Amino acid sequence: QVQLVESGGGLVQAGGSLRLSCTASGRTFGSYAMGWFRQAPGKEREFVATISWSGGRTYYADSVKGRFTVARDNAKNTGYLQMHSLKPEDTAVYYCAAHYSSYSGGYYYRESDFSSWGQGTQVTVSS
């Protein structure tokens, strides 16, 4: 298993930007596809974005497409979620997750696909 720690959350005004980081330890991060999920108060956790371990394939939820960008730097064992044009409805706890994959181009978007999860970081967007 790989251990994950998110950082970079905070309070931002609508229209602003934030970059979340997900730092991995314990295993070779480069063998894990990575996903980002979020959970707003009173709602179920939902998929946000995912990236293959090669970084060559990405996939986004429709609600964030064109505003969020997922990336990774395997040399630094770190994944990123760059968020632009933030809206109040983006307010949530954001989680990163990792899925071991033997296929460099594999990407995953179901919670059940991921075996390792971070503790989450709060993002609050004020109107």
Side-chain angles (χ1 to χ4, degrees):
Q1 295 281 2
V2 62
Q3 289 77 49
L4 305 172
V5 178
E6 302 96 335
S7 61
L11 174 64
V12 63
Q13 289 188 333
S17 299
L18 278 176
R19 187 177 79 161
L20 305 183
S21 298
C22 175
T23 303
S25 62
R27 291 281 182 154
T28 304
F29 182 58
S31 298
Y32 287 79
M34 187 185 70
W36 288 92
F37 293 78
R38 66 186 182 186
Q39 187 168 21
K43 295 187 177 181
E44 293 187 352
R45 189 156 56 184
E46 64 176 3
F47 166 76
V48 175
T50 187
I51 186 168
S52 61
W53 68 250
S54 69
R57 298 185 73 184
T58 58
Y59 181 66
Y60 298 90
D62 287 344
S63 60
V64 306
K65 200 172 297 183
R67 300 188 298 122
F68 291 12
T69 301
V70 61
R72 64 190 298 155
D73 184 341
N74 289 341
K76 296 182 178 180
N77 286 345
T78 303
Y80 305 97
L81 184 68
Q82 178 68 57
M83 306 183 293
H84 294 298
S85 302
L86 283 162
K87 306 174 182 179
E89 50 264 43
D90 294 318
T91 295
V93 177
Y94 283 71
Y95 300 89
C96 66
H99 169 87
Y100 179 80
S101 175
S102 58
Y103 172 44
S104 64
Y107 65 92
Y108 308 87
Y109 52 87
R110 298 176 301 182
E111 284 192 52
S112 59
D113 290 327
F114 294 89
S115 57
S116 298
W117 291 82
Q119 84 289 348
T121 186
Q122 176 70 46
V123 172
T124 302
V125 184
S126 63
S127 57

